[in-house]
Amino acid sequence: MSTLVHTPSARPPARHRPHLSGMAWLTWRQHRAAYRVAIVATLSAGAWMLYQGLRWRDFLRDAPPFYNERYSHEYESWYEPAQLYTGLALYILPLLLGVFLGAPLLAADRDKGTAKLVVTQSVSRVRWMATRLAVTALVVVVCTGVLSAAFTWWWQPHGLEVEWYRPERFATTGPMPVALALAMTLLGALIGFAIGRTLPAMAITLGAGVAVLYVSTRFRGLLGVRRTISGPFPDPAVRAPEHSAHIDHFFTTTSGRQVSPGQCSTNPLDSCLADRGVVHSSVKYFDLAQRDILQWTGAAFWTAVALIAGALTVWWAARRSL
């Protein structure tokens, strides 16, 4: 009589796939709709900008070096508006993230009362709040980083040095959009936690976001040291270098008093300035070489604002009732 011997079949070792767990999984589960919308929108917009960038390169390769009416019309009717409106969309993207992602992040839980469950669980308030902010911040940084890189690549053949100081160019390339988006999102989360109501928090975050964009645009000239070039008046050679950001133009009299062009309302301007005793002409500007310094300085400032807002939210959540 034979005996059947069963040998255990060799099974391949189980593969441990990376996955979220604990509070990170819960955060993703609760806000997966908003996160997925952000990711899908990023992939769609990134693919569209990639396609447009390839078309733009083909257009520049085929365009003649001299003026051509057909190519000029095609550029003005499609490529220029597409680049302009895409830049404007990226300019207000941090505002949209703050209103629709940051503000409801914590306000919705307080509004619905689900935040009170936190005090009944073994997870501390600090860990609960920090995880939510960290996961959201990661999604925001990745999405805006991809869009910024895609838009920068799209503009590359056109010349990133052209009008680089304009708000829709300065705030949508390099590290600036990532820092602005992170700051507005965490500011929205702080406002939402403080207000505790979703719709009012979104409205207040909208106003705060507009203020952030205004400050970022209005005071970006304070991020670096302006350079000055001067010469005898009138000297046509006294002008800012090519691709520089012209900030101010003023004149100096023999007594050292400064005169702005706006003080001469009569024409011609040269005669008016000569009558005032102007002997020197000066121009203040930011050189193209300062662009990266200005952008990274601005990004560092807004990142610090984001970190302060996030830390204040966590600190406040640990000390106030939910």
Side-chain angles (χ1 to χ4, degrees):
M1 183 176 182
S2 61
T3 304
L4 298 176
V5 179
H6 296 278
T7 58
S9 59
R11 296 181 178 178
R15 297 180 179 178
H16 297 283
R17 299 179 178 178
H19 63 281
L20 296 176
S21 60
M23 284 302 303
W25 175 86
L26 180 60
T27 300
W28 177 270
R29 184 74 177 173
Q30 283 190 295
H31 304 283
R32 62 187 183 277
Y35 294 153
R36 287 174 178 173
V37 168
I39 293 173
V40 171
T42 298
L43 294 177
S44 301
W48 185 79
M49 283 189 280
L50 176 63
Y51 171 71
Q52 293 300 328
L54 294 175
R55 287 188 59 190
W56 176 238
R57 283 161 171 77
D58 292 338
F59 174 81
L60 293 178
R61 186 184 63 249
D62 298 336
F66 49 87
Y67 175 80
N68 181 278
E69 183 176 356
R70 183 175 70 86
Y71 280 94
S72 178
H73 176 73
E74 185 177 356
Y75 169 75
E76 294 175 356
S77 62
W78 172 250
Y79 291 102
E80 185 179 29
Q83 292 171 343
L84 174 62
Y85 293 136
T86 302
L88 292 176
L90 290 179
Y91 182 67
I92 66 172
L93 176 62
L95 176 62
L96 299 178
L97 288 173
V99 173
F100 294 102
L101 181 60
L105 183 67
L106 305 174
D109 285 338
R110 296 200 63 208
D111 200 359
K112 298 175 183 177
T114 55
K116 296 180 179 179
L117 294 176
V118 176
V119 297
T120 65
Q121 306 300 317
S122 59
V123 179
S124 66
R125 294 186 182 187
V126 172
R127 182 183 174 188
W128 171 70
M129 186 70 66
T131 304
R132 288 199 166 203
L133 295 180
V135 173
T136 304
L138 179 61
V139 172
V140 169
V141 168
V142 171
C143 290
T144 52
V146 169
L147 293 176
S148 175
F151 188 64
T152 302
W153 176 83
W154 181 6
W155 266 107
Q156 193 74 43
H158 187 70
L160 292 174
E161 68 276 3
V162 179
E163 298 181 338
W164 60 270
Y165 196 69
R166 289 176 56 179
E168 67 274 13
R169 190 76 63 82
F170 183 83
T172 56
T173 57
M176 281 297 295
V178 179
L180 283 172
L182 186 62
M184 288 193 188
T185 302
L186 295 186
L187 281 174
L190 174 61
I191 293 172
F193 182 77
I195 300 299
R197 299 291 181 181
T198 303
L199 291 180
M202 294 174 69
I204 296 176
T205 302
L206 177 62
V210 172
V212 167
L213 288 180
Y214 173 79
V215 171
S216 175
T217 301
R218 179 67 177 81
F219 297 101
R220 66 190 186 281
L222 301 178
L223 300 175
V225 179
R226 303 173 185 180
R227 298 177 179 177
T228 304
I229 182 173
S230 302
F233 174 81
D235 184 358
V238 181
R239 64 184 64 180
E242 186 180 10
H243 301 315
S244 61
H246 186 280
I247 303 300
D248 191 18
H249 187 197
F250 61 94
F251 304 94
T252 307
T253 65
T254 54
S255 61
R257 185 172 59 90
Q258 291 187 0
V259 178
S260 65
Q263 293 181 255
C264 278
S265 57
T266 60
N267 291 318
L269 178 63
D270 290 351
S271 299
C272 175
L273 294 174
D275 293 340
R276 291 174 176 265
V278 169
V279 293
H280 281 87
S281 175
S282 301
V283 175
K284 290 185 177 181
Y285 64 95
F286 285 121
D287 192 78
L288 176 61
Q290 297 176 274
R291 179 188 58 189
D292 292 342
I293 297 176
L294 294 175
Q295 285 189 323
W296 281 102
T297 303
F301 173 80
W302 290 113
T303 301
V305 171
L307 293 177
I308 292 173
L312 183 58
T313 305
V314 174
W315 175 82
W316 200 358
R319 286 164 175 77
R320 69 171 295 177
S321 60
L322 299 177

